[in-house]
Amino acid sequence: MEPSTYTGENAAETRDMDAVARFYVKCALWLGVHDPVFVDAYFGPAAVQDEALTVTVPPDRIAGYAADLLATLDGIDPDHLEEAGRMRHTHLREMIRALKIRAGILAGENLTFDAETEALYGVAATEDDPAWYSELHAALDARLPGDGDLSVRYRAFMDSFVVPPDRLESVFAAAFAESRRKTAERLPLPAGERLEIGYAAGEPWEAFIRYLGNGTSLVRVNADLPVTVDRALAYACHEGYPGRHTMRTIREAALVRARGWIEYSVVTLASPLATVAEGAAVLGEEMIFPGPERARFFEEVLFPLAGFEQADADLFDAVVTASTALNLTGNARVARGHLGGALSREEACRLLQDVLLLEAEAAQVRLRLIEELRAYPVALAQGYRIVRDYVGGGADRWERFVHALTEPVLPGDLTSNGSPE
């Protein structure tokens, strides 16, 4: 039984990008059955999802359908399209190409890790300088209280800033409220957008966000696991405002609803578009709380709510800055080394302990996540660098940031020209 009466082959007769996009969405949903991390969100028509998921389509067939869709797009001359159509044609091609590569990998095709990173995310996995980590370790060593093993001191310091469970709700509410207020000062949020924060217990995750469509996101925080106060603000900015929730509400309104581009109703974590989008979400905290503003927010708002000494806010902020940089780049380093074959599992765990200062059990958990996400940590680190360098420090930095956050943008779009269109 064929999973649909529409295929990439008969799309070539209509040369209709709407039809191509609709079938691409089905292919993405089919692939999500085999790859649980591929589809991060779907908020398109329920009928499309219901039709797609009535059958199970194997990865090799999905890859074949994607090849048909790419051939269809080859039959559409971009020069005959208006500017928006040309942009859609380019980006739809990159979405389908990444899906084809990912489906092929699941079907058994072999790519080197570096080739996989470039094919899926449109960026190269670069070598980093071990001395850079040493410099961050030296900075932490100079700031952290006490003597002895750096990782032990670091973990003890961070453990002292775990938010008590009975204060967790007020800390998260304040972090999300302030990040939303500061975001709304810089860009208009769609009418009716809403982010709901809830709390759970007995789950393996610390927190997660799910975009439900119609401008609504659901955040769930695990009250059973220790959450340091910086994580509340990081979630508020990266997942909420001006991060993923903001990005998806604006793109849903502007692309899916206003233009009818259904391909943006399925959000995948493997495409060159995801590289920029995720990089912009990571940069969001720095945009909303630049320079000393984050330390001041810790001191004046979050520390009192959590019951911490306000005098410790500057030191805490400095430690978090260093550890965030270690994690972003270190995760990518371990992913490339381990999945590229240069590091055994034991060596990768040791590197996570030595470089990211994780304890042994946490290193094992982190490595399992890296193995599941594969090249995504590299794309996240590279996407952050690309967006940060593109945004720069000039007077138009917010204009540039909003462009990278809210528009569908490829890595090359930000590195090949100097200003947003």
Side-chain angles (χ1 to χ4, degrees):
M1 173 182 176
E2 287 296 323
S4 172
T5 57
Y6 177 84
T7 69
E9 183 177 356
N10 59 38
E13 299 173 3
T14 62
R15 296 187 177 181
D16 183 345
M17 280 201 290
D18 286 337
V20 170
R22 188 179 182 88
F23 197 69
Y24 158 75
V25 168
K26 290 183 180 180
C27 287
L29 294 173
W30 286 329
L31 191 59
V33 172
H34 304 283
D35 183 358
V37 301
F38 183 74
V39 176
D40 191 52
Y42 176 72
F43 44 90
V48 174
Q49 185 177 41
D50 292 343
E51 181 183 346
L53 298 183
T54 56
V55 293
T56 300
V57 183
D60 60 340
R61 185 179 295 184
I62 298 170
Y65 287 145
D68 288 342
L69 293 175
L70 291 173
T72 299
L73 290 179
D74 285 342
I76 301 175
D77 185 355
D79 291 338
H80 293 165
L81 303 173
E82 77 278 1
E83 182 179 354
R86 289 195 299 273
M87 179 187 75
R88 185 188 190 191
H89 184 276
T90 298
H91 293 168
L92 188 54
R93 164 172 285 282
E94 290 302 307
M95 293 177 185
I96 296 170
R97 188 181 61 79
L99 182 144
K100 176 180 177 294
I101 295 295
R102 185 62 187 145
I105 291 171
L106 291 178
E109 294 180 13
N110 290 319
L111 289 177
T112 67
F113 182 79
D114 287 356
E116 177 183 338
T117 302
E118 191 153 8
L120 290 179
Y121 294 102
V123 292
T126 58
E127 297 283 354
D128 54 24
D129 182 4
W132 181 82
Y133 298 97
S134 298
E135 291 172 4
L136 284 177
H137 286 171
L140 284 171
D141 188 50
R143 300 295 298 269
L144 288 171
D147 299 309
D149 185 83
L150 177 61
S151 61
V152 172
R153 290 159 55 211
Y154 166 73
R155 292 195 298 269
F157 179 82
M158 293 302 294
D159 286 347
S160 67
F161 292 97
V162 170
V163 180
D166 62 337
R167 295 174 179 261
L168 200 60
E169 186 170 350
S170 61
V171 168
F172 266 81
F176 274 89
E178 182 64 4
S179 65
R180 186 187 188 282
R181 184 190 70 80
K182 291 171 75 68
T183 297
E185 290 179 345
R186 295 289 188 168
L187 71 158
L189 298 172
E193 65 82 22
R194 183 171 65 90
L195 188 151
E196 176 190 327
I197 307 173
Y199 298 86
E203 300 290 346
W205 36 259
E206 186 177 88
F208 76 87
I209 185 169
R210 179 171 296 138
Y211 187 68
L212 305 177
N214 295 313
T216 301
S217 287
L218 177 68
V219 173
R220 284 291 179 264
V221 180
N222 189 347
D224 282 350
L225 294 181
V227 179
T228 53
V229 66
D230 59 299
R231 301 305 300 152
L233 192 56
Y235 283 128
C237 295
H238 182 263
E239 307 293 354
Y241 307 95
R244 287 175 164 183
H245 168 74
T246 300
M247 179 194 311
R248 290 171 187 173
T249 58
I250 292 175
R251 293 189 182 191
E252 181 186 16
L255 301 177
V256 180
R257 298 189 179 280
R259 292 181 174 176
W261 292 358
I262 191 175
E263 62 268 31
Y264 292 100
S265 68
V266 59
V267 180
T268 70
L269 286 187
S271 85
L273 292 166
T275 300
V276 175
E278 295 297 298
V282 173
L283 186 64
E285 186 174 1
E286 296 175 36
M287 297 298 297
I288 291 294
F289 294 96
E293 290 189 28
R294 186 177 68 172
R296 186 160 58 247
F297 185 62
F298 282 141
E299 178 184 357
E300 296 177 356
V301 179
L302 296 187
F303 271 36
L305 288 173
F308 303 142
E309 292 292 333
Q310 291 174 281
D312 294 331
D314 284 337
L315 174 59
F316 179 76
D317 182 70
V319 170
V320 167
T321 297
S323 64
T324 299
L326 281 173
N327 277 274
L328 184 63
T329 306
N331 287 336
R333 180 184 181 186
V334 170
R336 189 184 187 210
H338 175 49
L339 300 174
L343 296 174
S344 68
R345 213 171 188 284
E346 293 73 19
E347 291 169 331
C349 280
R350 172 49 57 189
L351 191 61
L352 286 169
Q353 294 175 69
D354 292 344
V355 173
L356 274 62
L357 309 178
L358 300 177
E359 59 185 0
E361 184 177 350
Q364 291 281 352
V365 172
R366 180 72 58 84
L367 186 58
R368 286 196 293 271
L369 182 62
I370 289 171
E371 289 171 337
E372 183 178 35
L373 295 176
R374 294 193 58 79
Y376 175 76
V378 175
L380 192 67
Q382 293 290 75
Y384 165 77
R385 293 190 187 104
I386 289 170
V387 177
R388 180 199 62 195
D389 292 347
Y390 170 77
V391 167
D396 63 345
R397 66 192 306 265
W398 261 96
E399 178 187 358
R400 287 171 170 265
F401 176 69
V402 170
H403 174 70
L405 182 80
T406 61
E407 295 288 337
V409 182
L410 298 169
D413 296 334
L414 302 188
T415 57
S416 61
N417 59 70
S419 62
E421 297 180 358

